């Protein structure tokens, strides 16, 4: 294989195994991308391929004046910020990267930079894929609906409903965990759960069946949800407080959820740093939202218990990286000192995922939860109200 750089032909050696290399221009720097191979080292030879000629060709190709120093400064600043954030996440045990890594690759020779196609640029699990997609999606949404516009919408919106109050009232009334019933059409692990999906009818059936609050999936790509579903339920006369079930990666989303009719939002500790959770918790209280902070292991529980202002913690029994479910996770996270700290702080604990039978509900209640969030086992029932009665082993309707 031969590739032409600076008018010179470079022929692949046998060590390259005749695999394709892609050469492309990116403003004032020539990048070389290799695929699934050791990094290729090219040395700049002044007499054969002067840097000045490369820059001149790049300038002609892009009609942008070459300015290496400015580009290097911008790239390095972004790289340092990203590295700093990754270091903070690592110290807090956060494995999910918020976006694909960028900045100068590890290997840098002269005007050339080298990066394997799969060197850190592929999501390592489904949650990371969702988060990367959400980061791009939110950036696009923010450009169409800036924060000042959302602030105006919120000022004219009706007051939010008392999410925590509804959970406490239900627990006192029934003596069983309060139900947050989830309006959910599909999931990455199960695919489509309910084909004849009418979010408003399902929400009304949940309310009739005794749900204290509702959770509405708003992610479109992976769960086939939408903010239109949230708005429709809110405007249909449903009185239950509504949780916006979304992957929050930006504080802007809190304002957007509030403007669309949410009373509560989900904050996932697996993708948010401690400072993010603190900051977003304060914003939620300022605009009337209740944050449900979700954890799924001991490290995340310990982190969240150190954050002031957290009143509602969800324990997800689903491993967010593998999507495997184990309801004993709830009991494990509520034992010993953690359980004592939760009781002292008067935090309401919500059990999430893997709850299908009255025995499952009794198990997590005995472990210490006073609310449960359930979707799949009831939404797929022909009559979701009957599905709720089957889940609890009796009717919990008022």
């Amino acid at each position: 294989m031969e590739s032409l750089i600076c008018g010179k032909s470079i022929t692949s050696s046998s060590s390259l195994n005749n695999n394709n290399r892609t050469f492309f221009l990116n403003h004032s720097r020539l990048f070389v991308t290799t695929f699934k191979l050791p990094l290729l080292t090219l040395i700049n030879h002044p007499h054969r391929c002067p840097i000045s000629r490369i820059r001149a060709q790049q300038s002609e190709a892009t009609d942008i004046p070459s300015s290496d120093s400015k580009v290097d400064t911008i790239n390095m600043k972004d790289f340092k910020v990203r590295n700093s954030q990754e270091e903070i996440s690592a110290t807090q045990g956060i494995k999910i990267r918020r976006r694909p890594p960028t900045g100068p690759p590890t290997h840098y020779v002269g005007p050339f930079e080298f990066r394997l196609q799969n060197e850190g640029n592929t999501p390592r699990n489904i949650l990371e894929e969702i988060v990367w997609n959400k980061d791009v999606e939110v950036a696009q949404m923010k450009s169409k609906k800036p924060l000042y516009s959302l602030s105006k919408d919120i000022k004219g919106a009706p007051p939010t409903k008392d999410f925590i109050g509804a959970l406490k009232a239900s627990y006192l009334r029934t003596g069983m965990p309060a139900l947050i019933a989830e309006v959910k059409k599909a999931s990455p692990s199960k695919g489509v759960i309910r084909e004849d999906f009418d979010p408003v009818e399902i929400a009304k059936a949940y309310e009739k069946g005794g749900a204290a609050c509702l959770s509405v999936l708003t992610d479109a790509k992976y769960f086939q949800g939408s903010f239109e579903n949230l708005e429709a339920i809110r405007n249909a006369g449903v009185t239950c407080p509504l949780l916006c079930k979304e992957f929050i990666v930006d504080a802007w989303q809190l304002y957007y959820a509030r403007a669309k009719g949410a009373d509560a939002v989900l904050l996932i500790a697996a993708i948010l740093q401690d400072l993010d959770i603190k900051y977003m918790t304060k914003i939620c209280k300022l605009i009337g939202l209740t944050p449900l902070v979700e954890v799924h292991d001991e490290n995340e529980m310990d982190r969240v218990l150190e954050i002031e202002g957290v009143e509602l913690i969800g324990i997800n029994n689903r491993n967010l990286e593998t999507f495997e479910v184990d309801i004993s996770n709830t009991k494990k996270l509520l034992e010993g000192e953690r359980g004592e700290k939760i009781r002292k702080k008067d935090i309401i604990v919500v059990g999430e995922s893997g709850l299908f039978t009255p025995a499952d509900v009794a198990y997590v209640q005995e472990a210490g939860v006073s609310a449960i969030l359930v979707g799949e086992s009831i939404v797929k029932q022909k009559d979701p109200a009957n599905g709720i009665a089957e889940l609890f082993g009796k009717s919990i309707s008022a």
Side-chain angles (χ1 to χ4, degrees), residues 93-295:
I94 300 173
K95 300 176 183 178
I96 301 300
R97 297 170 297 174
R98 289 280 292 273
R99 55 186 63 85
T102 60
T106 305
H107 300 268
Y108 182 89
V109 183
F112 303 108
E113 289 182 343
F114 311 93
R115 187 193 298 275
L116 289 171
Q117 184 188 34
N118 62 352
E119 187 180 318
N121 294 313
T122 302
R124 294 177 293 200
N125 52 58
I126 184 61
L127 179 57
E128 194 164 85
E129 180 183 335
I130 292 171
V131 169
W132 288 9
N133 178 76
K134 190 61 62 177
D135 190 59
V136 175
E137 179 186 302
V138 171
Q140 295 170 345
M141 293 173 71
K142 286 171 69 175
S143 66
K144 297 176 183 177
K145 192 76 173 177
L147 188 57
Y148 73 84
S149 178
L150 288 178
S151 298
K152 291 180 180 178
D153 293 344
I154 290 173
K155 286 180 181 178
T160 52
K161 298 178 184 295
D162 186 355
F163 196 88
I164 290 178
L167 296 180
K168 289 181 176 179
S170 178
Y171 188 81
L172 289 173
R173 179 177 62 82
T174 66
M176 304 183 77
L179 174 64
I180 306 171
E182 192 152 82
V183 182
K184 178 180 182 180
K185 181 177 181 179
S187 75
S189 59
K190 298 290 185 179
V192 175
I193 299 170
R194 186 183 180 107
E195 292 286 355
D196 57 330
F197 185 78
D198 184 327
V200 171
E201 290 305 311
I202 291 170
K204 288 181 177 179
Y206 283 160
E207 189 168 56
K208 179 182 177 183
C213 301
L214 305 182
S215 168
V216 184
L217 262 299
T218 54
D219 178 78
K221 183 172 182 178
Y222 298 92
F223 292 86
Q224 298 187 34
S226 71
F227 280 95
E228 287 72 25
N229 289 348
L230 180 66
E231 280 188 299
I233 293 170
R234 176 84 298 156
N235 296 331
V238 173
T239 60
C240 286
L242 304 181
L243 169 73
C244 174
K245 187 76 173 291
E246 177 62 288
F247 295 87
I248 303 291
V249 295
D250 190 299
W252 176 91
Q253 292 169 277
L254 305 177
Y255 291 87
Y256 192 73
R258 174 71 175 89
K260 293 295 182 178
D263 303 296
V265 291
L266 181 72
L267 302 179
I268 303 175
I271 62 178
L272 296 172
Q273 295 177 3
D274 296 355
L275 192 58
D276 290 328
I277 298 173
K278 291 178 184 177
Y279 176 59
M280 291 182 181
T281 297
K282 289 181 179 179
I283 291 177
C284 283
K285 293 185 178 180
L286 284 173
I287 62 177
L289 292 174
T290 298
L292 168 60
V293 185
E294 181 180 281
V295 304

Side-chain angles (χ1 to χ4, degrees), residues 63-80:
D63 285 330
I64 299 175
S66 178
S67 178
D68 266 357
S69 60
K70 290 181 179 179
V71 172
D72 286 342
T73 300
I74 294 170
N75 284 347
M76 188 54 68
K77 181 182 287 187
D78 182 62
F79 181 59
K80 287 180 178 178

Side-chain angles (χ1 to χ4, degrees), residues 300-355:
E300 290 171 8
M301 178 66 89
D302 291 339
R303 286 172 49 211
V304 171
L305 288 177
E306 294 302 314
I307 298 174
E308 291 299 321
V310 174
E311 301 176 278
L312 194 60
I313 294 178
I315 297 178
N316 198 334
N317 297 312
R318 187 184 304 279
N319 185 307
L320 297 178
E321 296 177 21
T322 65
F323 270 58
E324 295 177 354
V325 177
D326 179 5
I327 66 170
S328 68
N329 188 51
T330 295
K331 183 178 180 180
K332 179 175 67 175
L333 297 191
L334 293 178
E335 291 178 330
E337 293 182 5
R338 295 186 184 93
E340 285 298 320
K341 188 174 289 188
I342 286 169
R343 284 186 286 275
K344 286 180 181 179
K345 286 177 171 279
D346 196 27
I347 293 172
I348 294 177
V349 179
V350 182
E352 304 174 13
S353 299
L355 306 176

